[in-house]
Amino acid sequence: MKTNGTRQASIDGEMMNRLLAAFVVPCLIATVGAGDPVDRPVALHVPFQSVWKANTPVEIPVSPQVTSVPVEVPRIPQGEDLALRFRARLHTATTAGWNNFLGLRWNGRAVSDSTADGKPRLLDRERTFRSSIASESVVPTYADRSGLACLCVFFGPDFETLDERALSEREEGYWYLLDITDLDTSTVSRLDFVNTALSQYWGGSPPDGMRMVVDDIEVGRVSASVVEDLRSTRLIVRKPVKGPSVAVGGSEVTLTPGGGLQVRRAGEIHWFESAYLPPGVAIGREKPEKTPWLAAAAVPARGSTGWKRHKDRWVFEWRAPSLRLKRELSADGHRIVLLDSVINLTDRALGLRTRHRLLTPGFLKTFRFAGVEGQRSARPFGWADNPTLYVEQKKSGVGVLFEDDFFRLHTEVAGENNALTASDEHFGLGPKESYTFRISLYPTGGDFWDFVNAARRDWKVNFTVQGPF
């Protein structure tokens, strides 16, 4: 298998936890939120009251079949605050990339990437991380392999040296912190660490000494308030905003002052945002007005005109020194159609990063990329023939259909916390040239197939394909 980096470690205890949580977590959140690296991993930074620790590391060989090593965990009283902490790597002579090779089982059952109530299990990392590899700029932290939700582990010679191509969350290194509150610890438990790296990936002869190494395995208590604080910092926060609105298929679609869309139905809200970023413009996570997002925000981006009515459509324009963007919106009964035209104002070729994201108020639960439910990422080769995003809450949903050829062919998608994101890192415009992206939004009553059938009718492909069966 080619290791090129693609997909490729006299106060009682409760009172002390509360005191530490009150001081440490706000400091940690403020530090991370500011974009500055913390001086040590989040996994080691949070208040963690150890209740059990393994005496020795686990080493799992790379074999022709999936291999596991069990660890016995003593009975631990149930509580709303149990976490599993460890660091792991695939041992190699030098840093050599990463892959989703490490699975876990608890008492014989696979440990999924979400808790029983649908929240992210991994507390110290995002659902994806960024890399400098052009073909895989977004890497999923979890991926399905051998029937397990497998963590992405880095390949390295020790726990100190990290592959330089990993760009985000480098401060976490090889550490992992998992919420295991939903797992049964009322009796002695068996924790299996599973190595899904197979020797045939290296032609049957993996490098000498290659093995999965898991060390500092520990179970402890992290207060529920700290866990929720860690999770809440990952959400992209949007609040209901006012603006001109149009009725579409039983939903109210508000054209937000920032240029994005707010879809309200049955008391639930979804937001849709876009960004077309010329060179040198960074993305601001929490302050959309600091970034040229067409954002679902109450404050428009600097350089924008606001929404203006032109006969049967609405128009929003934004201008930068090198780029002009014109968004035209029309309501077509059951859908919203967006025509986003980007114009290169310079006498040289212009590269653009394009991002679109569909947001919910809380963590994603039911969602699809390219019609596949629950997957966290997809590259262009698994996307172009079904260029759709879909997310739903209890009573409503929104489907997004990307219709122009360039975006369909270039796009990578990712699901992270409360955002589905479709992005293109490789779009370019010649001098003085322009291009128009076409995007359709379909509000639904919470049924994915309503979205699919409406899109099929619009594309005039909603018919039976005759065949030999």
Side-chain angles (χ1 to χ4, degrees), residues 94-421:
T94 62
T95 57
W98 49 80
N99 212 319
N100 298 87
F101 281 150
L102 180 61
L104 284 79
R105 295 193 187 98
W106 190 272
N107 291 329
R109 301 184 63 178
V111 178
S112 67
D113 64 342
S114 299
T115 61
D117 58 358
K119 294 180 179 178
R121 186 176 298 282
L122 193 59
L123 299 176
D124 63 325
R125 298 174 184 269
E126 296 282 359
R127 298 269 196 178
T128 60
F129 68 89
R130 295 272 169 182
S131 87
S132 62
I133 301 173
S135 61
E136 192 184 14
S137 60
V138 179
V139 184
T141 307
Y142 275 101
D144 292 335
R145 189 185 291 272
S146 300
L148 296 169
C150 288
L151 286 162
C152 188
V153 292
F154 292 96
F155 301 4
D158 51 52
F159 284 121
E160 308 302 324
T161 310
L162 191 68
D163 195 305
E164 63 182 10
R165 294 172 294 179
L167 301 180
S168 60
E169 299 184 319
R170 293 186 58 83
E171 68 276 3
E172 269 327 278
Y174 293 87
W175 282 100
Y176 302 86
L177 180 68
L178 282 68
D179 181 356
I180 59 168
T181 301
D182 60 328
L183 305 184
D184 183 8
T185 61
S186 61
T187 61
V188 174
S189 299
R190 171 174 167 153
L191 169 61
D192 288 299
F193 289 95
V194 185
N195 183 5
T196 65
L198 305 180
S199 57
Q200 49 264 43
Y201 297 162
W202 289 269
S205 300
D208 290 341
M210 177 176 279
R211 62 198 183 278
M212 184 72 70
V213 180
V214 187
D215 200 359
D216 297 304
I217 306 165
E218 192 169 11
V219 174
R221 298 197 182 278
V222 179
S223 72
S225 61
V226 171
V227 169
E228 289 310 306
D229 283 341
L230 287 172
R231 286 183 174 137
S232 66
T233 61
R234 303 179 184 182
L235 296 175
I236 299 171
V237 178
R238 294 292 176 265
K239 297 181 179 180
V241 297
K242 295 180 179 180
S245 62
V246 294
V248 178
S251 301
E252 179 188 36
V253 180
T254 299
L255 287 53
T256 70
L261 302 179
Q262 173 181 283
V263 182
R264 185 191 296 268
R265 182 171 183 150
E268 297 175 341
I269 298 179
H270 298 81
W271 295 277
F272 181 74
E273 303 182 334
S274 305
Y276 297 91
L277 305 175
V281 178
I283 291 179
R285 177 183 173 85
E286 295 300 335
K287 295 184 178 180
E289 68 275 10
K290 301 297 184 181
T291 301
W293 280 100
L294 295 178
V299 180
R302 182 178 301 174
S304 66
T305 62
W307 290 100
K308 295 182 179 180
R309 186 69 180 266
H310 292 267
K311 295 183 179 180
D312 60 345
R313 61 187 55 203
W314 290 85
V315 177
F316 186 99
E317 296 191 60
W318 174 81
R319 188 182 183 102
S322 60
L323 176 73
R324 183 164 69 91
L325 171 64
K326 180 180 180 181
R327 165 165 282 182
E328 298 180 70
L329 179 149
S330 59
D332 189 12
H334 59 287
R335 65 174 175 171
I336 289 288
V337 177
L338 299 175
L339 299 177
D340 287 355
S341 299
V342 288
I343 301 98
N344 181 0
L345 302 177
T346 74
D347 294 321
R348 63 185 185 280
L350 182 67
L352 292 176
R353 290 176 297 155
T354 304
R355 304 279 173 86
H356 302 281
R357 63 189 181 194
L358 189 57
L359 302 172
T360 57
F363 288 100
L364 298 171
K365 291 185 178 180
T366 302
F367 62 95
R368 296 174 185 254
F369 294 133
V372 180
E373 186 171 1
Q375 68 174 357
R376 291 287 169 184
S377 65
R379 297 199 190 101
F381 57 75
W383 162 268
D385 58 344
N386 187 346
T388 59
L389 304 178
Y390 179 78
V391 65
E392 69 181 45
Q393 299 180 55
K394 292 182 179 179
K395 301 177 182 178
S396 65
V398 175
V400 182
L401 174 64
F402 298 95
E403 302 195 56
D404 61 280
D405 291 344
F406 277 111
F407 198 76
R408 290 175 64 179
L409 292 170
H410 288 189
T411 304
E412 293 187 15
V413 292
E416 192 171 49
N417 304 318
N418 66 325
L420 297 185
T421 303

Side-chain angles (χ1 to χ4, degrees), residues 449-463:
W449 298 106
D450 286 347
F451 162 50
V452 169
N453 288 327
R456 284 172 174 165
R457 285 191 293 268
D458 290 334
W459 276 15
K460 296 180 173 48
V461 294
N462 197 33
F463 53 83

